[in-house]
Amino acid sequence: MAKDNIKQTIEALRNKINEHNYQYYVLDAPTVTDAAYDLLYRQLVELEKEYPQFVTPDSPTKRVGDKPIKAFAEVTHSVPMLSLENAFTQEDIENFNQRISDRLKVTHIVDYCCEPKLDGLAISLRYENGLLMQAATRGDGETGEDVTENIKTIKMVPLRLQGNYPSLLEVRGEVFMPKKGFEKLNQEAAKKGEKIFANPRNAAAGSIRQLDPRIAASRRLEVYFYGVGAVEGNVKLETQFTMLKHLASWGLRVNPLIKVVSGVKGCIEYFEEIAKLRDKLSYEIDGIVYKVNNLEEQKRLGFVTRAPRWAIAHKFPPEEVYTVVEAVEFNVGRTGALTPVARLKPVFVHGVTVSNATLHNMDEVERKDVRIGDTVIVRRAGDVIPEIVAVVKENRPANARTIKLPKTCPICHSHVERIEDEAVAKCTGGLFCSAQRKEMIRHFAARRAMDIEGLGNKLIEQLVDSNMIANVADIYSLTQSELENLERMGTKSAVNLLTEIEESKKTTFARFLYSLGIPEVGEATGKQLALHFKTLDALQKANEEELQAVSDIGPIVAKHIAHFFAEAHNREVITKLLKAGVHWETVKNQASLPLAGQTFVITGMLSHLSRDEAKDTLEKLGAKVAGSVSSKTSYVVVGEEAGSKLAKAKELGIKILSDDEFMLFLKKHV
Ligand code: 5U1
């Protein structure tokens, strides 16, 4: 074949495949069989292999890069990516509509473009002369991360636009993981003993923030586009709805449920209509977005801080469902506390099957008067643990059984003790109880404690049940040959785990104290103790009175700490840990650190650091990190989707640092 012919054949194949992708993924109306599609694709792969000079960046074969990237570059959005104000009631929507009419000085009923609000990850795609040049996350709205390689793996994202597209288009939308893909991903993760995602939103975000595009490609991600940033060229956009029609004509997937309605009444009707459909949708939604339909009016309304005045997200209430309590079991925690857990007849809520709900403690069981056999209302909001809201007393069967605190521990059969006036009942088995031992080890290995990532729940179960480890110090004597012989543990996993165990030996005094699992000693108390006593020796020698001299430590916590160190077994474990090589840097005097005396509040999702990393860095510099904004706050660090804390900071005139400003601030102080 002549070179010109080959070039044309490759081009024709590319166009055909892109057209089939569009029909399949965007229109959901394929016109060829999978086999016919695969044949075209293979032909293109073969020809491109033979004639690499004719490969173009928009070739469908170039969606998945074969190498991980090193890091995500920063992208400054030419038009900021806004977020949305939330509304929860009809009254909120009425107020929103009133504000719009007042500001526009109009008396006519305003038209709204209504869209389902997806629970995913906001992205911005930049097309230059129809070619996909860049994809970025929202980040702080001004600057995001370059995730082009991962976005390209989503087949419904066109690599080249079609039709009469503008010369420059920045299009905004939401990447999400449909319910089925999410369930499958979690089932596979659970089988492999890997971390499961709490919700589809985390799964989508986690997939797009992978450095290896092959991982993103293996996840079933989808996208819907809902707006534009910068647009240049021959296109006139008049309403939100016609803008979306234009997007669809350029090959960009737009949600088919979008509709224009008239006034608040239309909005609420749409809200109710979609709420009824919600369970049947293949993806999770958490509300409806209403947008003033007229784009000229949108422009006149403008925006406040990072949210437009012309749009609002009307959130669905937390979902509540009815089910039956089939049994109640008691989980034993690290400190021996028994938590009643209701085993429920499985019920589907928000795309997740719920079969357990915590009842917290016996006081809660008695207060709610929950009995086995009862019909109950279960609520699941976002990713929190499902809880029983109330009992439907009218449905109580005659044979409903009251829930009794067991007299002995369900795991080790030691005596259970419930101290008068205390809600919590405890197994008295201590380290004799394997449930407590497992929880203790789980706590010790946790990320915020000694941070041994590969030591997950399943492995701990195996190690304790087979008597390979009895306490946390034993972790440091595990050997490769012992580990290799365990279920689901090859040489590679064993070596990786041993490396992590070795790395965990270098820690901080505060983390070490926290990881010991002393009752009532959380991270904050661990830090206070480390700062106050500076050495383990000094802490171990302190009596209850001396312990109470530490800020925030009262008589109960002091007693727990003193008891812990008085116990010979605990001292033995500590000695073994130190002998194994666990060590930390000498604790510095707080006052000498650069951010001593300053209090920070972090709100929203940061794009450069995880919240934990930001907190650790600030604390290492001597700052305190608080959970709420007050007049004593020195700085509020604001990430994506910051809410009421940002508003409060503004109200109190507290210094605000954006995500990027915070990074510069840290650089200056490290
Ligand atoms: N459906 C939809 N989701 N969503 C999210 N539309 C929409 N619009 C948004 C956001 C953040 O922002 C524009 C109003 C700027």
Side-chain angles (χ1 to χ4, degrees):
M1 226 192 295
K3 284 261 162 92
D4 273 359
N5 276 352
I6 289 163
K7 191 173 172 207
Q8 277 166 11
T9 309
I10 288 184
E11 205 172 287
L13 278 170
R14 213 164 47 218
N15 291 342
K16 255 194 207 161
I17 295 170
N18 282 338
E19 177 64 19
H20 289 319
N21 273 348
Y22 170 69
Q23 276 156 347
Y24 183 88
Y25 291 109
V26 181
L27 302 183
D28 198 14
T31 52
V32 288
T33 61
D34 289 355
Y37 176 91
D38 287 346
L39 186 65
L40 290 174
Y41 192 88
R42 279 203 309 275
Q43 280 173 347
L44 181 60
V45 171
E46 286 306 315
L47 278 177
E48 284 185 344
K49 202 153 75 184
E50 210 172 323
Y51 301 96
Q53 68 270 40
F54 300 137
V55 177
T56 56
D58 63 334
S59 170
T61 61
K62 293 285 153 276
R63 284 196 177 265
V64 188
D66 51 8
K67 278 197 288 301
I69 55 167
K70 294 233 159 49
F72 298 114
E74 235 177 51
V75 174
T76 305
H77 302 299
S78 58
V79 175
M81 284 182 80
L82 303 173
S83 52
L84 290 163
E85 193 196 325
N86 287 332
F88 299 94
T89 62
Q90 180 163 339
E91 199 188 338
D92 292 344
I93 303 305
E94 278 159 7
N95 292 338
F96 162 72
N97 179 59
Q98 191 61 51
R99 287 198 298 274
I100 284 169
S101 300
D102 291 350
R103 213 163 235 281
L104 291 176
K105 299 196 177 64
V106 293
T107 48
H108 66 253
I109 297 177
V110 176
D111 278 349
Y112 291 100
C113 184
C114 304
E115 315 170 5
K117 186 174 179 303
L118 278 105
D119 206 6
L121 180 78
I123 45 143
S124 179
L125 269 50
R126 190 177 165 90
Y127 287 91
E128 291 175 18
N129 297 317
L131 206 59
L132 174 64
M133 301 304 285
Q134 190 171 62
T137 59
R138 181 180 177 280
D140 62 359
E142 313 259 328
T143 315
E145 282 177 328
D146 185 335
V147 288
T148 316
E149 289 309 309
N150 286 339
I151 292 295
K152 271 167 66 182
T153 67
I154 307 172
K155 294 218 182 88
M156 55 184 62
V157 168
L159 300 178
R160 177 182 283 285
L161 297 178
Q162 60 183 43
N164 197 12
Y165 51 77
S167 53
L168 170 73
L169 175 70
E170 255 180 28
V171 60
R172 269 90 200 255
E174 199 92 353
V175 168
F176 60 95
M177 188 172 285
K179 291 172 189 169
K180 277 224 178 89
F182 171 68
E183 271 168 41
K184 192 144 188 261
L185 179 67
N186 269 354
Q187 273 165 8
E188 281 163 9
K191 257 194 241 152
K192 289 190 227 151
E194 289 170 1
K195 185 181 133 233
I196 62 166
F197 290 102
N199 53 38
R201 184 196 140 77
N202 289 1
S207 306
I208 288 301
R209 299 193 73 259
Q210 290 281 344
L211 292 170
D212 188 345
R214 287 167 297 191
I215 299 181
S218 72
R219 309 269 168 93
R220 294 149 197 239
L221 296 172
E222 295 195 7
V223 64
Y224 274 128
F225 294 99
Y226 54 67
V228 294
V231 184
E232 282 169 22
N234 58 342
V235 61
K236 200 155 182 281
L237 303 172
E238 280 168 357
T239 67
Q240 179 76 26
F241 193 73
T242 50
M243 179 242 283
L244 297 172
K245 289 267 172 232
H246 277 298
L247 294 185
S249 78
W250 299 329
L252 296 157
R253 192 171 183 245
V254 171
N255 194 313
L257 297 171
I258 295 176
K259 195 165 151 187
V260 178
V261 304
S262 184
V264 174
K265 188 166 169 283
C267 288
I268 300 300
E269 279 168 9
Y270 181 86
F271 181 85
E272 282 163 5
E273 189 189 320
I274 301 295
K276 277 194 214 130
L277 260 185
R278 190 177 175 194
D279 279 350
K280 294 194 194 79
L281 295 177
S282 61
Y283 48 86
E284 287 290 342
I285 57 171
D286 59 0
I288 301 294
V289 186
Y290 308 128
K291 295 177 183 169
V292 170
N293 193 36
N294 184 314
L295 294 184
E296 193 268 328
E297 288 180 348
Q298 284 190 4
K299 207 164 154 200
R300 272 166 53 208
L301 288 161
F303 54 89
V304 264
T305 44
R306 284 173 188 171
R309 288 200 186 90
W310 43 266
I312 201 158
H314 189 178
K315 294 296 204 75
F316 291 130
E319 209 169 343
E320 292 183 354
V321 289
Y322 292 90
T323 187
V324 174
V325 177
E326 293 185 326
V328 169
E329 285 167 17
F330 286 81
N331 280 354
V332 186
R334 169 168 57 89
T335 57
L338 262 62
T339 306
V341 178
R343 305 287 176 219
L344 305 169
K345 187 165 175 225
V347 61
F348 204 62
V349 201
H350 269 194
V352 173
T353 304
V354 171
S355 39
N356 302 312
T358 177
L359 282 161
H360 303 290
N361 52 53
M362 286 309 285
D363 275 2
E364 176 98 345
V365 171
E366 283 151 23
R367 194 172 55 77
K368 289 186 175 158
D369 187 19
V370 183
R371 300 188 194 175
I372 298 163
D374 268 344
T375 297
V376 289
I377 302 171
V378 174
R379 177 192 292 162
R380 186 178 160 262
D383 31 355
V384 297
I385 304 168
E387 61 167 354
I388 290 180
V389 184
V391 172
V392 186
K393 294 266 172 69
E394 310 84 84
N395 287 10
R396 176 166 285 165
N399 61 352
R401 280 182 291 134
T402 49
I403 299 164
K404 289 205 186 85
L405 180 70
K407 288 197 167 57
T408 57
C409 170
I411 306 295
C412 71
H413 310 292
S414 301
H415 173 66
V416 167
E417 189 178 66
R418 186 177 179 189
I419 298 165
E420 224 178 306
D421 295 335
E422 273 192 26
V424 182
K426 284 188 171 176
C427 156
T428 52
L431 290 178
F432 170 70
C433 178
S434 69
Q436 290 188 50
R437 264 185 282 141
K438 284 175 191 170
E439 288 300 326
M440 198 65 150
I441 294 166
R442 227 168 261 166
H443 173 82
F444 182 85
R447 197 162 45 90
R448 307 247 0 128
M450 298 299 277
D451 192 17
I452 312 176
E453 201 188 324
L455 195 53
N457 292 351
K458 290 253 158 67
L459 186 55
I460 295 173
E461 293 268 330
Q462 282 192 68
L463 292 171
V464 174
D465 290 342
S466 58
N467 293 323
M468 282 169 70
I469 57 176
N471 60 49
V472 295
D474 295 342
I475 295 171
Y476 293 94
S477 343
L478 286 168
T479 64
Q480 188 178 328
S481 59
E482 273 177 323
L483 288 171
E484 271 170 354
N485 289 330
L486 291 169
E487 234 178 87
R488 284 201 300 258
M489 256 286 184
T491 305
K492 195 164 166 237
S493 312
V495 171
N496 286 348
L497 177 61
L498 288 172
T499 311
E500 278 180 37
I501 293 175
E502 189 57 36
E503 281 169 4
S504 77
K505 290 180 183 172
K506 181 172 184 286
T507 186
T508 64
F509 186 28
R511 262 181 190 263
F512 178 75
L513 291 176
Y514 169 60
S515 65
L516 290 177
I518 307 168
E520 305 290 334
V521 176
E523 274 185 270
T525 310
K527 280 171 196 155
Q528 293 294 351
L529 287 169
L531 276 177
H532 187 95
F533 290 101
K534 305 262 182 325
T535 69
L536 183 60
D537 199 38
L539 171 61
Q540 279 179 314
K541 282 189 187 134
N543 59 30
E544 285 180 37
E545 203 181 315
E546 284 159 339
L547 284 163
Q548 282 187 59
V550 181
S551 76
D552 298 339
I553 292 188
I556 297 176
V557 184
K559 191 177 260 148
H560 281 304
I561 299 169
H563 279 190
F564 182 89
F565 288 115
E567 181 77 55
H569 167 83
N570 291 335
R571 285 203 308 274
E572 223 172 85
V573 170
I574 291 173
T575 309
K576 270 197 196 164
L577 286 170
L578 300 180
K579 262 203 186 137
V582 172
H583 66 284
W584 51 85
E585 266 179 36
T586 316
V587 181
K588 290 200 185 85
N589 254 339
Q590 188 76 352
S592 66
L593 295 172
L595 298 183
Q598 309 215 32
T599 304
F600 283 70
V601 171
I602 305 171
T603 178
M605 221 162 73
L606 303 180
S607 49
H608 303 284
L609 295 175
S610 72
R611 217 170 237 249
D612 284 348
E613 286 164 345
K615 190 166 180 253
D616 275 352
T617 313
L618 284 169
E619 284 173 350
K620 274 197 193 121
L621 295 170
K624 222 174 132 177
V625 180
S628 57
V629 180
S630 75
S631 58
K632 292 197 186 111
T633 310
S634 322
Y635 290 93
V636 174
V637 181
V638 178
E640 196 182 330
E641 286 176 22
S644 59
K645 288 181 194 166
L646 171 60
K648 181 97 188 268
K650 282 185 183 157
E651 195 186 306
L652 297 175
I654 309 252
K655 279 176 253 163
I656 294 168
L657 293 176
S658 73
D659 215 349
D660 290 342
E661 287 164 345
F662 177 54
M663 294 312 288
L664 289 176
F665 181 93
L666 288 181
K667 264 188 208 147
K668 253 196 260 161
H669 288 89
V670 210

